[in-house]
Amino acid sequence: MIHKFSLFGTNIVLDVNSGSVHIFDDVAYDVLDFYKKHEASTIYGKLSSKYSEAQVTEALEEIGELEACGLLYSKDEYEEYLPLWEKPAVVKAMCLHISHDCNLRCRYCFAGTGNFGGDRINMSADIGKKAIDFLISQSGNRRNLEIDFFGGEPMLNFHVVKEIVEYALSREKKFNKKFKFTLTTNAVLLKEEHKDYINKNFHNIVLSIDGRKETNDRMRIKIDGSGTYGDILPKIKDMADSRNQDNYYVRGTFTRENLDFSKDVLHLADLGFKQVSVEPVVAAMDTGYDIREEDLCTLFGEYESLAAEYVKRAKDGRGFNFFHFMIDLSQGPCISKRLGGCGSGHEYLAVTPSGDIYPCHQFVGMDEFKMGNVMNEGLNKEIQNTFKKSNVYSKEKCRGCWAKFYCSGGCAANAFQFNKDINSPYEIGCELEKKRVECALWAKAQLMDNEL
Amino acid sequence: MKHIKILNGSTLKDSLKNGGCGECQTSCQSACKTSCTVANQSCQKN
């Protein structure tokens, strides 16, 4: 399978199964439309008004060379690899819901403004420590373990975060594990003393801000209805600077109320942030701010113009990382990771303040997905296996999709939310993802082309 | 080649040989909490 697209005059051809990426000139790009479908003489005839026979012949030879080298039309051999997945599941990452309360009332919150449809309660240190024990017990030989302190707002219960961190670190040597901690916060309660502790102990911090003041304050509001931009920006800036603009993300959400979201991304970059992620909202159809099919054309244009500016800034020495455009063509994730995706429900689990276990933070509160409780040893293996067996080949829509090794089959929670089936991807999400991958490949091609 | 520039080779097939250790970061732990993007993650071995 191949995928070809042209953006800003660059013709890019992706060989899906090998992962090889090529830049074609116009001759080869046009010839490719007929390659394998017609004899050379027919192809000359079809393209004779544009190119000479010699040009077409050269292009055909070069395309044939790529194919012979396994860099074009290569076979998909990975499905045979799936039986290796029959080995027992290991859990390597946990999202700890430190608090099911929040000091904000963001309009688009998927967590019911913090409580996930339940009580506004905090996790106790005891539950948190049991979650650490549970993770260690389920992690097999996996050495690197990850904990994301999530909410609600985890800073409402930061003393427990610290207790859990200290406990996890105290278990590392005995069990030969290495913990990496992430904190996802709205930044309202961040103070100097937190900063020192976080910078010393946390591998990553995700700081929520949506972009321009008017964008942020439309959605990210306090209990009294006022906006947060003015309060959080100095704190987020200070935190990012204190980490030397690395190992963090400013993370925003765009909705159909700011379809011009590229301006929000660039606003964050203009403020000096070097690690930026702004993602589409995943919201129910009746919310009013949900992304709709008729918005896609506008959003595609936004991603394209953002990619152009992204490359321009990188070439000017003013570059920044945009999470969805980051792509490493030579040393990215292995095919094993790309087949299975985020690992929700088997490698990655969420734990609520009361210790209940769910496949990920987005499934929290759905009774049919409750997998157990950290106070008991057991884990619902049936649910775990259902998620473990979900991969790009178990999803009919993904099998024939050129982008399957980039999104890895998409988000199970989004699929369930829209289609009531974790193997039936959320189509608007797919369309946006495909455009992002194209823009990421294009941006990479421009920057690599500079180096070649 | 005159008409084609190869940006990278057969990286996915190559990764079959020594991939799958699982020591890499879980994608939802980096920044995305609502949309799955895996290809932008890095390999722990590199």
Side-chain angles (χ1 to χ4, degrees):
Chain A
M1 184 190 297
I2 65 163
H3 176 64
K4 68 194 276 279
F5 65 98
S6 194
L7 188 57
F8 299 124
T10 303
N11 305 317
I12 294 178
V13 177
L14 166 70
D15 182 49
V16 173
N17 296 323
S18 69
S20 190
V21 181
H22 315 287
I23 297 177
F24 276 42
D25 72 1
D26 290 340
V27 185
Y29 193 70
D30 286 343
V31 166
L32 192 59
D33 286 335
F34 304 109
Y35 184 73
K36 284 175 164 300
K37 294 175 193 157
H38 299 284
E39 295 293 320
S41 57
T42 310
I43 300 175
Y44 304 146
K46 286 183 178 289
L47 295 172
S48 61
S49 64
K50 291 176 84 175
Y51 311 116
S52 69
E53 188 173 328
Q55 285 176 304
V56 172
T57 303
E58 282 169 358
L60 277 170
E61 284 173 2
E62 291 184 15
I63 291 169
E65 204 178 314
L66 284 191
E67 185 178 6
C69 294
L71 300 179
L72 209 59
Y73 299 105
S74 61
K75 285 186 183 161
D76 182 346
E77 297 163 356
Y78 308 126
E79 200 167 0
E80 301 162 18
Y81 187 62
L82 290 178
L84 290 176
W85 287 17
E86 296 304 320
K87 54 190 177 186
V90 292
V91 184
K92 67 175 188 180
M94 255 184 188
C95 180
L96 288 189
H97 291 222
I98 283 300
S99 176
H100 269 191
D101 198 0
C102 191
N103 46 355
L104 299 187
R105 293 294 181 267
C106 301
R107 285 173 53 211
Y108 52 40
C109 184
F110 72 86
T113 67
N115 65 350
F116 289 82
D119 298 325
R120 292 191 175 274
I121 55 172
N122 288 339
M123 180 179 282
S124 68
D126 189 38
I127 293 278
K129 290 173 186 175
K130 284 285 190 301
I132 297 295
D133 291 340
F134 185 85
L135 174 57
I136 291 171
S137 74
Q138 299 285 323
S139 63
N141 293 327
R142 206 59 52 92
R143 182 158 192 272
N144 290 309
L145 303 180
E146 300 157 55
I147 300 287
D148 182 17
F149 293 98
F150 198 64
E153 171 49 44
M155 295 307 294
L156 288 171
N157 195 18
F158 193 65
H159 68 284
V160 168
V161 170
K162 286 163 77 173
E163 265 195 72
I164 297 169
V165 166
E166 299 305 324
Y167 181 75
L169 293 176
S170 75
R171 313 304 277 170
E172 281 188 332
K173 196 171 177 186
K174 180 177 178 186
F175 293 99
N176 189 31
K177 302 293 179 187
K178 175 71 186 162
F179 279 95
K180 290 181 179 174
F181 303 107
T182 296
L183 180 78
T184 300
T185 176
N186 61 34
V188 172
L189 296 174
L190 274 183
K191 290 182 183 158
E192 192 68 22
E193 68 261 28
H194 302 134
K195 192 174 75 180
D196 293 342
Y197 187 83
I198 290 164
N199 287 346
K200 183 180 168 207
N201 293 292
F202 280 63
H203 174 72
N204 184 30
I205 180 166
V206 180
L207 302 153
S208 300
I209 183 170
D210 283 348
R212 294 165 292 179
K213 183 177 190 304
E214 61 270 28
T215 302
N216 185 84
D217 288 354
R218 198 184 298 127
M219 284 288 171
R220 303 193 63 78
I221 53 178
K222 299 179 200 168
I223 294 171
D224 67 7
S226 62
T228 54
Y229 183 92
D231 288 339
I232 61 173
L233 182 58
K235 295 179 180 187
I236 291 179
K237 189 81 174 59
D238 184 44
M239 176 59 85
D241 286 340
S242 73
R243 297 172 74 84
N244 299 317
Q245 288 294 330
D246 203 5
N247 297 314
Y248 81 94
Y249 277 98
V250 286
R251 199 281 191 201
T253 300
F254 70 81
T255 72
R256 84 185 309 261
E257 294 182 10
N258 64 311
L259 292 176
D260 60 347
F261 75 93
S262 69
K263 292 189 176 72
D264 293 294
V265 176
L266 295 175
H267 175 75
L268 293 170
D270 288 340
L271 289 169
F273 293 113
K274 295 294 183 190
Q275 316 297 336
V276 180
S277 181
V278 176
E279 303 191 24
V281 72
V282 179
M285 279 196 286
D286 55 358
T287 54
Y289 52 78
D290 53 304
I291 305 291
R292 300 170 193 176
E293 202 175 338
E294 64 258 36
D295 302 326
L296 289 176
C297 189
T298 303
L299 293 176
F300 292 169
E302 284 291 301
Y303 278 119
E304 288 181 5
S305 64
L306 179 60
E309 181 64 17
Y310 186 72
V311 167
K312 183 172 180 291
R313 290 187 183 206
K315 287 184 174 175
D316 291 348
R318 299 182 295 129
F320 64 100
N321 285 324
F322 179 59
F323 184 67
H324 279 145
F325 286 171
M326 289 162 64
I327 200 160
D328 185 341
L329 293 179
S330 58
Q331 296 182 323
C334 64
I335 189 66
S336 175
K337 186 177 181 78
R338 289 170 190 252
L339 293 176
C342 70
S344 65
H346 59 109
E347 286 184 339
Y348 169 66
L349 303 173
V351 179
T352 70
S354 53
D356 290 340
I357 302 169
Y358 289 90
C360 85
H361 53 288
Q362 291 198 73
F363 285 100
V364 165
M366 298 184 198
D367 287 343
E368 68 269 40
F369 286 101
K370 187 177 160 185
M371 299 175 72
N373 189 288
V374 297
M375 302 306 276
N376 310 310
E377 292 278 307
L379 191 63
N380 184 320
K381 294 289 176 189
E382 194 183 332
I383 296 176
Q384 191 179 30
N385 280 329
T386 301
F387 278 83
K388 187 163 170 271
K389 286 180 177 170
S390 175
N391 60 69
V392 296
Y393 300 108
S394 68
K395 301 171 186 179
E396 276 311 308
K397 286 179 193 162
C398 298
R399 268 181 179 274
C401 177
W402 65 266
K404 59 179 176 269
F405 298 135
Y406 293 83
C407 72
S408 302
C411 171
N414 294 355
F416 187 79
Q417 181 183 341
F418 284 88
N419 299 321
K420 295 293 169 213
D421 177 4
I422 65 166
N423 286 307
S424 181
Y426 163 52
E427 286 185 2
I428 287 177
C430 293
E431 293 308 311
L432 292 173
E433 173 69 9
K434 283 190 275 190
K435 175 51 78 175
R436 288 195 294 260
V437 174
E438 285 189 350
C439 289
L441 290 173
W442 175 83
K444 192 71 185 174
Q446 306 312 303
L447 297 172
M448 283 176 83
D449 209 24
N450 236 16
E451 297 161 9
L452 293 172
Chain B
M1 288 188 177
K2 192 171 163 187
H3 299 277
I4 299 171
K5 188 179 287 179
I6 301 172
L7 290 185
N8 70 299
S10 183
T11 51
L12 293 191
K13 295 218 167 167
D14 294 346
S15 76
L16 263 180
K17 293 170 198 157
N18 54 13
C21 71
E23 294 289 354
C24 51
Q25 187 179 36
T26 306
S27 52
C28 247
Q29 302 289 61
S30 50
C32 74
K33 276 287 182 187
T34 55
S35 71
C36 189
T37 306
V38 172
N40 60 0
Q41 303 294 304
S42 55
C43 173
Q44 191 72 24
K45 290 181 178 174
N46 294 315

